[in-house]
Amino acid sequence: LEHKRMTTTKRDKSKLRECWPPAAFVLVCLGTAWLWFSAFQIKHPFRPTDILIEGSLLAAAILGWAFVLKLRLRMLSLGWAMFTYALFMDLLDEFTKEPELWNTIIPGILSLAGLVIVAAGFFFSHRLVRGELARTQAAETSARENENRKRALLDALPDLVFRLSREGRFLDFHAPNDSLLFAQPAAFLGKALGEVMPAEIAARALLEVRATLDTRQMRILDYQLDLPGRGLQDFEARMVAGKDV
């Protein structure tokens, strides 16, 4: 219940972080519009074509900002918000008579600054992605090299090696020569000791497997198997606990 409550709280905080930039932008735009129409004289007549063009550009910028917000990159979001705000000021300009400072210079500065910030955001995010990709590739290469070294060590062993679960189920094996196996791999892989070996030996082996995993110390099991064509054979099994068990 506590874990569920913490998960819900984190989800709520994440939604709040996603919602506040658009909400703040809307409040800033509303405040700007109120101050704008209070400070500047309404002009007549309006030019519907210019209003339509400016409104379309603003709508496209807002739609683009919605996609940018999904990336959760603050620099990109800030730059795009500045660019969108400049377009909003251009739209307000179509309804009022104001000094050149407000209808050209300030919107131009905001547009340029916003686009520069957007470009910088793309640059740094690209570098970040490239760095993460390089680290992932390096980790995968290291894992492959470790696997190759382990495989080379196994290939150098003259003995049979079996990997078993705590329940005594055969998970994997290594054999320098398949003729050394007591059965074909399909006959024992994925099966329990009791399904493959004599009951008495299987019971002893399962006890040793669990004791090895519990004590993390090597255990030795001596047993005999009657192999077809080879008669009664003596075996010694040395059991060690794997790091991932």
Side-chain angles (χ1 to χ4, degrees), residues 48-126:
T49 303
D50 292 345
I51 294 175
L52 179 62
I53 293 174
E54 297 291 349
S56 299
L57 291 174
L58 178 60
I62 292 174
L63 180 61
W65 193 40
F67 288 110
V68 170
L69 287 173
K70 293 294 183 181
L71 299 177
R72 297 184 179 180
L73 298 173
R74 292 182 180 179
M75 187 174 289
L76 284 178
S77 298
L78 174 61
W80 203 274
M82 291 175 63
F83 175 70
T84 305
Y85 183 70
L87 293 178
F88 177 70
M89 292 181 69
D90 285 338
L91 179 61
L92 294 179
D93 167 53
E94 299 299 328
F95 297 94
T96 60
K97 298 176 181 179
E98 65 284 324
E100 185 179 2
L101 174 68
W102 293 98
N103 65 16
T104 303
I105 297 177
I106 292 179
I109 293 174
L110 287 174
S111 295
L112 289 175
L115 291 176
V116 169
I117 293 174
V118 167
F122 275 116
F123 172 74
F124 287 117
S125 62
H126 177 66

Side-chain angles (χ1 to χ4, degrees), residues 44 146-147 149 157 163:
H44 296 285
N146 288 336
E147 184 63 28
R149 282 194 293 268
L157 292 176
R163 188 163 67 95

Side-chain angles (χ1 to χ4, degrees), residues 171-190:
L171 303 176
D172 198 2
F173 79 99
H174 164 76
N177 190 331
D178 285 354
S179 63
L180 298 176
L181 295 171
F182 61 89
Q184 291 300 312
F188 64 84
L189 281 179

Side-chain angles (χ1 to χ4, degrees), residues 138-177:
E140 291 176 351
T141 300
S142 178
R144 284 195 298 269
E145 291 176 351
N146 288 336
E147 184 63 28
N148 291 336
R149 282 194 293 268
K150 291 178 182 178
R151 180 58 57 183
L153 288 173
L154 279 177
D155 290 341
L157 292 176
D159 299 322
L160 296 171
V161 179
F162 297 95
R163 188 163 67 95
L164 291 88
S165 67
R166 174 175 286 274
E167 293 73 29
R169 195 170 298 278
F170 288 93
L171 303 176
D172 198 2
F173 79 99
H174 164 76
N177 190 331

